[in-house]
Amino acid sequence: EVLAHLTRVVEEQGDNQVVASILFLDDEGRLRNGASPSLPADYVVAIDGLKADPMIGTCSAAASTSRVVVTVDIEHDRAWSSLKQLPLTLGLRAAWSQPITARDGRVLGTFGTYFRTCREPSVAERQAVEILSRTAALAIERARDDQALRDGERRMREADRRKDEFLAALSHELRNPLAPLRTAVHLLRTDLSQESRGR
């Protein structure tokens, strides 16, 4: 919700002549949709899972280089050769992308903006998205910290459950240390008894 709000702020400032999208960079170096409320679902599906690569698109290049990437003309940009029909079909002619970075400098994702005309972002647009990207970074890091905490708690609960099962089994064995021996003696006596009756 936070990321979707940030993208809408950019779109509103651009008088709805721009479309904004925030993508996550996963542990495998692939871009995943974070918030793209104004992009159609088929577009989001088509770009989901793209490998961060300096020679592919705008956001992919920004994620791989950790630098702002500007594409003034998508139709004639070689980095967009395999993907250009996606934005062009929607009337999106240019794009630029700001890396979203963590406190330690790691790239968490990208804040991408598409334009309906071939142009570069203005100074004001760059400054606004830079500020919003820092907010996005805080939201992403908080979400990941919360998820890591939940995962840690789940692992602890699982470890506690296994420990309890082990202790219960051990306690049973300690309370009945001769149980296996008694069972073996009982079976042996039964076999001997049956054998003697058989004679």
Side-chain angles (χ1 to χ4, degrees), residues 7-20 38 113-116 119 125:
T7 60
R8 289 192 184 97
V9 168
V10 171
E11 292 174 349
E12 289 168 4
Q13 287 183 342
D15 294 325
N16 296 315
Q17 291 301 303
V18 302
V19 173
S38 297
T113 306
Y114 296 93
F115 298 129
R116 298 193 183 281
R119 69 176 181 91
E125 286 170 330

Side-chain angles (χ1 to χ4, degrees), residues 56-193:
I56 297 179
T58 305
C59 287
S60 177
S64 67
T65 61
S66 189
R67 294 178 182 166
V68 171
V69 175
V70 178
T71 304
V72 177
D73 184 354
I74 290 174
E75 185 173 9
H76 298 102
D77 192 289
R78 282 187 298 178
W80 276 93
S81 60
S82 62
L83 299 169
K84 64 183 178 182
Q85 289 310 313
L86 291 170
L88 293 179
T89 300
L90 301 176
L92 304 174
R93 315 292 300 178
W96 75 284
S97 185
Q98 165 81 39
I100 299 171
T101 54
R103 291 183 293 268
D104 61 6
R106 287 177 301 113
V107 176
L108 299 172
T110 60
F111 200 127
T113 306
Y114 296 93
F115 298 129
R116 298 193 183 281
T117 57
C118 293
R119 69 176 181 91
E120 293 187 8
S122 67
V123 172
E125 286 170 330
R126 283 178 179 261
Q127 291 173 341
V129 170
E130 185 177 340
I131 293 169
L132 294 174
S133 292
R134 290 199 289 270
T135 304
L138 292 173
I140 293 170
E141 287 191 288
R142 174 62 185 271
R144 290 186 176 179
D145 288 346
D146 289 347
Q147 185 61 51
L149 182 61
R150 287 193 294 272
D151 290 344
E153 290 172 345
R154 178 181 53 77
R155 286 193 295 270
M156 285 181 65
R157 286 194 300 271
E158 181 65 19
D160 286 344
R161 183 187 65 77
R162 288 197 300 269
K163 182 184 72 174
D164 290 344
E165 289 175 354
F166 171 76
L167 290 176
L170 182 60
S171 175
H172 175 75
E173 291 299 325
L174 290 174
R175 284 196 306 270
N176 302 284
L178 300 178
L181 183 57
R182 289 191 187 111
T183 301
V185 169
H186 173 72
L187 291 173
L188 183 59
R189 284 179 176 166
T190 302
D191 290 343
L192 291 173
S193 174

Side-chain angles (χ1 to χ4, degrees), residues 37-53:
S38 297
L39 289 175
D42 58 343
Y43 188 109
V44 173
V45 169
I47 63 173
D48 188 66
L50 276 178
K51 189 78 174 173
D53 187 317

